[in-house]
Amino acid sequence: MVLRVLELFSGMGGMHSALDLIEIEYEIIAAIDINPTANLMYSSNFPQVPIINRSIETISIKQWEKWHADLWTMSPPCQPFTRQGKQEDLNDRRTDGFVYLMKNILSKLESKPKYILLENVFGFQDSDAHRLLLETLQLNNYSYEQYLLSPIQFGIPNSRLRYYLIAKQQENPIDTHSSIIHTQISNFERLLTKLHEQFPSKDISSHDETSRHRNDQITDQCSHSSEILIDPNQSMIINDFILSDENAEFELDDKQLKRGLNVCDIITCYAKRSFCFTKSYGKYFEGTGSLFRTQNDHIRYFTPKEIANLHCFPSTYNFPESITTRQAYSLLGNSLNVFVIGVLFENLFER
């Protein structure tokens, strides 16, 4: 059976990439997002998918019935729940589409999706939006599992702790629902093997032991119980994900170095961890993501393609020439880790 998928708040297509990763028969019947830059990036990589550039709350229930989707994937706007934001939760108008989905679509839809996967920032689990989500799923007879997961626990050298929910509609009524939010997950081994094939270990030309020991670990500002490695022997290093050691185009100038050196996390090719890359990477220094120190001691930004690699997008994923570096960083900061989503799909479909 071909899975009919609606990709809601579709961004740059991370959910689509995860479906490709798990090798399942599917059809994206529509990708919906109001960000024209994200839609341009999406269409460049997935030209066959119908893209709808409009607010979710403007789409009638008649259209949702017509779509008759088997799976909804969604990454609703995270700004109402981030630590850096005002945390206005459901009072933030950017939650309107999500609220509309819960109250006006999912609760009234006759052809409800069998599966739902939702991703959002750490902190969403303490919000009124989260309570609305669980209440709606319970009323509509969905079983669900909740997770707090980060790529680094699978050996991917990037901290990106996120809240995830996978839900499956049941035929029989459900008496109880668990409130547990898991920080570990199973059924990831097959995809981890694929990931190591996609990003094989590369030779490092200069084996500077001082550099190796000084920079292979960074502080735990992004750490959480979920970031304990599932298998320490599976750990990959930054060198597996960078395109080249040197890249003059992305080097910091003297003014940037003076501003950033004391507040930035700087790592080398040997590092087994990097800070979470945010949409403000390249614009601000503190808390927006790691910088890279080359073997010649130059300090540079990670390129958009390298961040996409750390997010486990496929090697074929491209950035159109019309997309600026600033726009690419912004989209990546709002994106997700394809591998982690793939593992959640594996568990959702019980493969």
Side-chain angles (χ1 to χ4, degrees):
M1 184 188 80
V2 177
L3 200 70
R4 292 175 58 82
V5 183
L6 269 179
E7 195 172 3
L8 312 175
F9 312 101
S10 50
M12 55 186 284
M15 296 285 189
H16 190 144
S17 296
L19 286 166
D20 285 340
L21 179 66
I22 67 170
E23 298 172 329
I24 194 172
E25 286 192 69
Y26 74 95
E27 175 193 5
I28 305 278
I29 52 180
I32 307 171
D33 203 291
I34 60 171
N35 184 331
T37 308
N39 290 338
L40 175 61
M41 185 92 88
Y42 192 113
S43 64
S44 176
N45 286 277
F46 310 109
Q48 75 282 10
V49 175
I51 296 176
I52 299 176
N53 188 359
R54 59 188 287 191
S55 301
I56 282 178
E57 61 269 29
T58 66
I59 303 172
S60 70
I61 193 166
K62 182 178 179 180
Q63 179 60 64
W64 296 87
E65 296 285 9
K66 184 178 178 181
W67 277 324
H68 204 293
D70 302 304
L71 166 66
W72 286 3
T73 68
M74 65 178 88
S75 296
C78 64
Q79 293 88 343
F81 318 108
T82 56
R83 288 173 296 177
Q84 294 88 350
K86 297 180 180 179
Q87 296 181 318
E88 293 185 333
D89 204 335
L90 294 181
N91 292 321
D92 191 315
R93 292 298 304 274
R94 286 171 288 192
T95 64
D96 287 356
F98 172 77
V99 173
Y100 178 78
L101 274 176
M102 295 299 105
K103 292 185 176 181
N104 298 86
I105 301 301
L106 188 58
S107 296
K108 299 176 181 178
L109 202 61
E110 290 186 13
S111 56
K112 300 184 195 304
K114 183 176 182 180
Y115 305 103
I116 295 173
L117 190 154
L118 176 142
E119 177 265 359
N120 215 286
V121 291
F122 177 78
F124 177 84
Q125 72 276 12
D126 298 319
S127 68
D128 290 335
H130 175 256
R131 282 185 281 277
L132 173 62
L133 171 65
L134 297 193
E135 289 170 3
T136 305
L137 293 175
Q138 291 168 15
L139 287 171
N140 290 280
N141 213 41
Y142 283 87
S143 61
Y144 54 79
E145 294 176 357
Q146 302 179 81
Y147 295 91
L148 287 172
L149 301 171
S150 177
I152 205 162
Q153 71 192 90
F154 301 97
I156 302 164
N158 181 240
S159 292
R160 196 169 186 83
L161 182 63
R162 292 295 183 267
Y163 169 87
Y164 301 96
L165 177 141
I166 53 176
K168 184 176 181 180
Q169 192 175 42
Q170 303 298 321
E171 293 181 3
N172 300 317
I174 303 169
D175 294 330
T176 58
H177 292 82
S178 173
S179 61
I180 295 173
I181 300 181
H182 304 278
T183 56
Q184 301 285 306
I185 194 169
S186 59
N187 205 19
F188 61 87
E189 293 82 4
R190 183 180 77 89
L191 295 188
L192 196 59
T193 298
K194 289 188 67 174
L195 185 70
H196 282 265
E197 292 171 353
Q198 181 181 348
F199 298 106
S201 295
K202 297 179 291 188
D203 291 334
I204 301 176
S205 58
S206 173
H207 294 279
D208 180 351
E209 290 300 317
T210 303
S211 172
R212 178 192 295 267
H213 293 298
R214 185 173 44 158
N215 290 283
D216 65 353
Q217 291 185 351
I218 60 176
T219 57
D220 285 333
Q221 293 176 21
C222 286
S223 67
H224 183 271
S225 61
S226 70
E227 297 195 341
I228 299 171
L229 278 176
I230 288 175
D231 182 354
N233 296 320
Q234 294 282 8
S235 187
M236 305 168 81
I237 62 174
I238 286 293
N239 193 64
D240 301 332
F241 296 85
I242 61 173
L243 302 179
S244 62
D245 187 64
E246 298 286 345
N247 191 324
E249 181 184 351
F250 288 85
E251 282 183 19
L252 276 69
D253 58 32
D254 290 340
K255 184 178 179 181
Q256 290 172 317
L257 285 170
K258 187 175 181 180
R259 285 173 48 217
L261 279 182
N262 293 327
V263 295
C264 286
D265 165 62
I266 302 172
I267 59 176
T268 71
C269 58
Y270 298 104
K272 297 179 180 179
R273 179 191 290 262
S274 57
F275 277 180
C276 179
F277 294 98
T278 76
K279 67 175 184 178
S280 296
Y281 188 67
K283 183 178 182 181
Y284 303 111
F285 286 111
E286 190 169 6
T288 62
S290 300
L291 298 176
F292 183 74
R293 181 167 71 85
T294 72
Q295 294 189 66
N296 291 326
D297 276 339
H298 298 141
I299 307 297
R300 69 170 178 85
Y301 292 106
F302 283 84
T303 70
K305 182 61 177 176
E306 288 167 340
I307 297 174
N309 287 346
L310 285 165
H311 290 181
C312 303
F313 277 82
S315 57
T316 55
Y317 196 92
N318 68 82
F319 293 80
E321 290 185 4
S322 58
I323 299 286
T324 67
T325 299
R326 160 73 37 236
Q327 289 172 323
Y329 283 148
S330 180
L331 291 173
L332 287 161
N334 285 326
S335 187
L336 45 78
N337 187 279
V338 171
F339 173 84
V340 177
I341 294 292
V343 173
L344 288 155
F345 278 140
E346 293 275 82
N347 284 266
L348 177 59
F349 302 139
E350 300 174 342
R351 282 152 53 88

